[in-house]
Amino acid sequence: MGGDLPEYFFRVRENGAMVFRVDTQNQQRRIEMDQIAVANVKNGEIKANGDRKLTDTDIEEISAWMEERRAVLADRDIDDILRTVDHLNLTAQWAQSKAEPEQLEEITDTLLLAMHDLRSVLVRKKADRLLKGK
């Protein structure tokens, strides 16, 4: 099992990860994880844990993980938006075919305000792009 494990483990946190070096080469043949750093995906900062000095390899591995993590998060953002489009379509179908008047009364104002806000942002951003020629 030890040979299959990666050299680094990243415990995901809200803004990045705690970075551990994985060690299986000890006398007890147990998996030991030694925290070596904290990585912040938002600002790109890598902070060594305590007085530890990170090697060039540590920094390269952490930086590569951060780049990959940013790509994963960006993909998830787009997926979430596409799911929102699906939910809006399902909501329209529900409102048209199944919703009771009391249910519509409960959600209409909140939903209309959220949709108005979204539409305003999208229209403004589209106009900005068109003015910049993109």
Side-chain angles (χ1 to χ4, degrees):
M1 177 172 143
D4 297 331
L5 294 175
E7 187 175 346
Y8 298 92
F9 173 73
F10 297 85
R11 182 193 299 158
V12 175
R13 307 172 7 149
E14 181 143 344
N15 289 331
M18 295 173 64
V19 184
F20 296 86
R21 185 173 290 118
V22 178
D23 178 20
T24 57
Q25 304 300 319
N26 55 63
Q27 292 179 352
Q28 294 82 21
R29 312 259 316 137
R30 289 190 288 202
I31 298 171
E32 293 182 7
M33 296 190 336
D34 183 26
Q35 184 182 352
I36 61 169
V38 173
N40 187 318
V41 194
K42 303 247 186 221
N43 64 18
E45 189 173 55
I46 300 170
K47 287 186 184 176
N49 190 41
D51 294 334
R52 182 176 303 279
K53 180 86 170 145
L54 298 175
T55 66
D56 290 343
T57 302
D58 293 337
I59 294 170
E60 287 171 14
E61 291 289 330
I62 295 168
S63 296
W65 179 87
M66 289 170 58
E67 187 175 322
E68 183 179 314
R69 182 69 179 165
R70 284 187 196 105
V72 165
L73 294 173
D75 288 346
R76 285 183 185 170
D77 282 346
I78 295 300
D79 187 55
D80 286 346
I81 299 305
L82 293 173
R83 287 173 193 257
T84 299
V85 172
D86 286 349
H87 285 287
L88 285 170
N89 287 321
L90 292 169
T91 301
Q93 184 61 31
W94 169 82
Q96 184 176 15
S97 63
K98 296 179 186 174
E100 297 293 328
E102 307 81 40
Q103 292 173 313
L104 288 171
E105 187 62 37
E106 184 178 335
I107 58 97
T108 296
D109 291 343
T110 303
L111 190 55
L112 284 173
L113 287 171
M115 290 170 34
H116 174 74
D117 182 36
L118 175 60
R119 183 183 184 284
S120 297
V121 169
L122 292 175
V123 168
R124 186 173 54 251
K125 292 289 193 173
K126 177 125 186 162
D128 290 347
R129 289 192 314 274
L130 290 173
L131 289 175
K132 290 179 183 175
K134 292 186 176 181

